[in-house]
Amino acid sequence: MSNNFFNEYQNTNNCANNENSGGSCSIDPSVYALEELLLNEIKQIAFYIVKLADFNLQNENIMQKAVRALSVILINTSFRLEDYKHLLYSLEADKFKVREKYLAVSKEKSIKYELVENAFKLPDKPNRTNLLKLGEALVIQKRKEYEPKKLDLIELIAFFAKTTSINVEKLSHFGYKNSEWNFQILKFLNLTNISSKKTEKLKENICDFSKFSFDIWQKLMETLENTYGKRTETDISFEIKEGKSILVSGSDLDELDKLLEAIGDRKINVYTNSSLFSAFCYPHFQKYKNLIGHFGYENAQIDFTNFKGPVFTTQNFLQKIDNLHRGTIFTTKIISPDKMIRIEGYDFEPLIQNALSTTGFTKEDIQNPDKVTLKYDIKKIDNIIKEADGKDIYIIVGSYKKEEIIKKFEGKTLIKLDSPVEIQLLIRILKETNCKNIKLILTHCTPNTVNILLSTLFSNPEEIYFAKCPNTIINPHIINALVEHFGVEIIS
């Protein structure tokens, strides 16, 4: 089982044609429309924030709230409407604050003011139906406003801003709050308000933002090592042990850490899921004796159903879970799916008590220890770079169909980064090499890996290959933009 771990990690994401997925891969158009409505409020805030910057005025609190809201990516058609409305109307209130400030300053200085063109009035009595209609109207307007190739770039800019804001939000969990980061993200997003912007200029802006996003990744990786210790090569166990249990899924290591601290010595076995397998690389997490290992792959629909105990999804959990058939799920997501139990202020006691009240895994569930190795051999990579001596280097990120890919590039100098969510080693490689001789091959398709790809554009790798993404995972406009404007070659 474990030898195919990273392959399965990819397979369960590329599930557009998977008849056994139970619909877990499909993204309803209504989700896109409602996310567009949220995005529209943030875009208007971005417009006035940029205008105020011309007067050397800023509202750091509103910028931070806007970027936090931008980090929200809706996945499920079934979500808590009250969460959505609270965020939407909070953004509208902030928009009016920065708008009024901008108008007041313009009047005071006798300067002609501009208003954002994409303003839509929110309904006084919001419900799912009228909010959905408004979101659909915004989508239609955008498609009319831009010709297809330019629309691809506009969608890519919004996506890039959103996924970068996730990393900024993660850094804020460690106490890093940087108003300049927030301003740069909103300034970049504001490009989507300017329909007259030329395509070539948009491409330049994307490459400029790529360096910014790359630096954010680097800061996040440094912060994780400063907090949890220097990461090392490690084995990840797939062993299932008898006893009460909790499954933690998502990508927020700090929330996993807080939960483990809250559990203390109580006899609850904790298993990671999704990209949280990276916790095992850090020495800090080795002190937790009840952090047992990794459970499942990357399909929450299957993993959560098979797990015997409550599940905790962290703030930046990005999987669709509409069709779950069983299980109690707790979350810290800003907009949570229906029927999840909200964890407020990182009070994990309700989750812990729920785990203690359940049977958990029994003797019959015990599986023989199984493991994979998450490699982290910096010295080996440095030697490959040195021996290449300026010749082409092919970097394979992720192990999906790795043997087929290696055959395709047989005889070339290869660096294999087996983890599908690897970024730290990639950062090192890009810093240590002449990027013009780099051929980047990303075999795994998620919002995270698309952001990694985008964050390398500034370095102008000679060639970029990327996994074929189902439309259900990544908006096809984004893939079109990568192929058409940045020469990315799609591999299947």
Side-chain angles (χ1 to χ4, degrees):
M1 174 181 69
S2 64
N3 289 334
N4 295 318
F5 170 51
F6 294 135
N7 283 354
E8 291 296 331
Y9 192 103
Q10 169 74 3
N11 279 328
T12 50
N13 273 284
N14 282 342
C15 52
N17 300 314
N18 182 354
E19 62 184 12
N20 297 318
S21 67
S24 64
C25 297
S26 59
I27 297 177
D28 193 283
S30 63
V31 172
Y32 177 66
L34 290 169
E35 189 170 286
E36 189 67 26
L37 186 55
L38 272 178
L39 182 63
N40 188 56
E41 292 297 316
I42 304 170
K43 286 166 60 176
Q44 292 178 69
I45 290 172
F47 179 87
Y48 294 116
I49 287 290
V50 171
K51 289 295 182 184
L52 284 171
D54 292 338
F55 301 113
N56 294 316
L57 294 172
Q58 288 294 359
N59 187 314
E60 293 187 12
N61 182 50
I62 287 179
M63 286 197 299
Q64 183 180 334
K65 287 165 64 179
V67 169
R68 186 168 192 256
L70 190 59
S71 73
V72 173
I73 295 179
L74 293 178
I75 299 295
N76 301 276
T77 55
S78 176
F79 60 87
R80 195 173 294 168
L81 185 60
E82 289 308 307
D83 288 353
Y84 177 88
K85 290 193 296 186
H86 174 77
L87 180 58
L88 181 65
Y89 282 81
S90 174
L91 288 169
E92 185 185 46
D94 287 340
K95 173 190 69 180
F96 285 136
K97 285 179 186 176
V98 290
R99 180 180 182 272
E100 292 308 309
K101 181 65 175 176
Y102 165 64
L103 293 177
V105 174
S106 297
K107 183 178 180 180
E108 178 187 331
K109 296 183 178 293
S110 300
I111 295 174
K112 185 179 180 181
Y113 63 82
E114 296 178 70
L115 297 178
V116 69
E117 296 176 358
N118 59 353
F120 275 65
K121 188 179 185 304
L122 296 181
D124 294 328
K125 295 181 179 179
N127 55 52
R128 191 178 292 263
T129 300
N130 58 25
L131 292 173
L132 179 58
K133 285 182 178 178
L134 193 52
E136 289 171 344
L138 283 166
V139 173
I140 292 169
Q141 181 194 56
K142 184 166 64 174
R143 288 175 178 169
K144 286 180 178 178
E145 189 173 1
Y146 295 104
E147 55 90 17
K149 288 184 179 180
K150 195 167 184 180
L151 178 59
D152 292 342
L153 284 175
I154 293 298
E155 291 281 9
L156 185 147
I157 288 168
F159 176 87
F160 200 3
K162 288 177 74 65
T163 50
T164 301
S165 71
I166 290 174
N167 286 342
V168 169
E169 177 66 10
K170 286 181 179 179
L171 278 163
S172 76
H173 292 184
F174 294 94
Y176 289 96
K177 295 182 180 178
N178 187 316
S179 60
E180 182 60 23
W181 292 348
N182 295 330
F183 177 73
Q184 290 301 327
I185 289 174
L186 294 175
K187 182 181 177 182
F188 182 61
L189 180 66
N190 187 50
L191 295 171
T192 64
N193 288 317
I194 309 170
S195 57
S196 60
K197 201 86 166 175
K198 299 295 184 183
T199 296
E200 285 305 312
K201 189 61 179 175
L202 288 176
K203 288 169 63 177
E204 286 180 27
N205 293 139
I206 290 167
C207 288
D208 290 342
F209 189 78
S210 173
K211 180 61 170 67
F212 170 79
S213 182
F214 184 85
D215 291 343
I216 293 296
W217 269 115
Q218 188 170 340
K219 183 64 176 177
L220 179 58
M221 294 300 103
E222 289 174 357
T223 300
L224 291 175
E225 285 207 335
N226 289 338
T227 306
Y228 300 128
K230 287 282 186 183
R231 58 173 281 191
T232 60
E233 185 170 307
T234 189
D235 291 333
I236 302 174
S237 173
F238 282 76
E239 180 181 9
I240 292 178
K241 290 188 175 181
E242 180 182 5
K244 301 176 187 302
S245 57
I246 293 174
L247 183 66
V248 187
S249 189
S251 61
D252 302 273
L253 286 168
D254 63 298
E255 295 189 357
L256 171 64
D257 187 27
K258 288 182 175 70
L259 171 60
L260 290 164
E261 191 70 34
I263 292 171
D265 295 330
R266 285 177 281 192
K267 293 183 178 179
I268 300 174
N269 296 326
V270 177
Y271 301 82
T272 62
N273 182 256
S274 188
S275 62
L276 280 175
F277 61 75
S278 62
F280 296 96
C281 298
Y282 296 99
H284 174 84
F285 287 94
Q286 295 169 13
K287 73 178 184 179
Y288 294 115
K289 303 304 179 187
N290 54 353
L291 182 59
I292 300 302
H294 195 81
F295 181 90
Y297 300 113
E298 180 68 358
N299 190 323
Q301 176 79 10
I302 296 171
D303 297 343
F304 291 9
T305 300
N306 291 337
F307 191 76
K308 295 189 176 179
V311 174
F312 167 48
T313 65
T314 68
Q315 179 178 325
N316 292 297
F317 170 83
L318 295 178
Q319 286 199 64
K320 190 171 185 220
I321 48 176
D322 286 344
N323 298 322
L324 289 176
H325 302 295
R326 63 165 298 279
T328 304
I329 307 174
F330 294 76
T331 191
T332 50
K333 285 183 69 63
I334 296 171
I335 298 179
S336 66
D338 279 341
K339 300 180 181 178
M340 281 195 182
I341 301 169
R342 170 85 64 195
I343 291 175
E344 301 287 358
Y346 293 121
D347 177 10
F348 291 106
E349 202 56 31
L351 168 60
I352 293 168
Q353 291 303 319
N354 184 282
L356 290 171
S357 69
T358 58
T359 303
F361 289 105
T362 64
K363 288 182 179 179
E364 288 72 27
D365 298 312
I366 295 175
Q367 293 183 2
N368 293 328
D370 208 352
K371 64 183 181 182
V372 294
T373 300
L374 193 58
K375 297 178 181 177
Y376 193 68
D377 194 337
I378 293 176
K379 188 175 180 180
K380 181 179 178 181
I381 289 172
D382 286 347
N383 286 339
I384 293 173
I385 293 171
K386 185 178 179 181
E387 290 170 8
D389 193 26
K391 295 178 183 177
D392 288 347
I393 300 174
Y394 292 76
I395 306 169
I396 302 175
V397 182
S399 62
Y400 181 61
K401 293 188 175 180
K402 186 172 72 175
E403 297 309 316
E404 293 178 29
I405 290 169
I406 289 173
K407 270 186 186 177
K408 183 174 181 179
F409 300 105
E410 195 170 357
K412 308 293 186 183
T413 300
L414 300 178
I415 294 177
K416 293 167 280 186
L417 310 180
D418 285 337
S419 167
V421 293
E422 186 55 72
I423 179 63
Q424 193 164 358
L425 290 173
L426 183 56
I427 288 171
R428 181 181 179 88
I429 294 165
L430 292 178
K431 288 178 69 178
E432 296 294 325
T433 61
N434 171 11
C435 294
K436 291 182 179 178
N437 70 319
I438 288 294
K439 321 279 188 176
L440 183 60
I441 306 158
L442 292 137
T443 72
H444 187 64
C445 176
T446 66
N448 190 59
T449 49
V450 176
N451 181 276
I452 290 171
L453 186 160
L454 291 167
S455 299
T456 67
L457 291 178
F458 78 95
S459 64
N460 195 26
E462 189 172 338
E463 294 175 15
I464 302 177
Y465 302 85
F466 194 64
K468 186 175 182 181
C469 291
N471 295 349
T472 52
I473 295 176
I474 302 297
N475 185 325
H477 285 292
I478 295 162
I479 302 303
N480 291 344
L482 290 173
V483 172
E484 177 69 25
H485 298 289
F486 297 100
V488 174
E489 183 176 333
I490 302 302
I491 54 175
S492 56

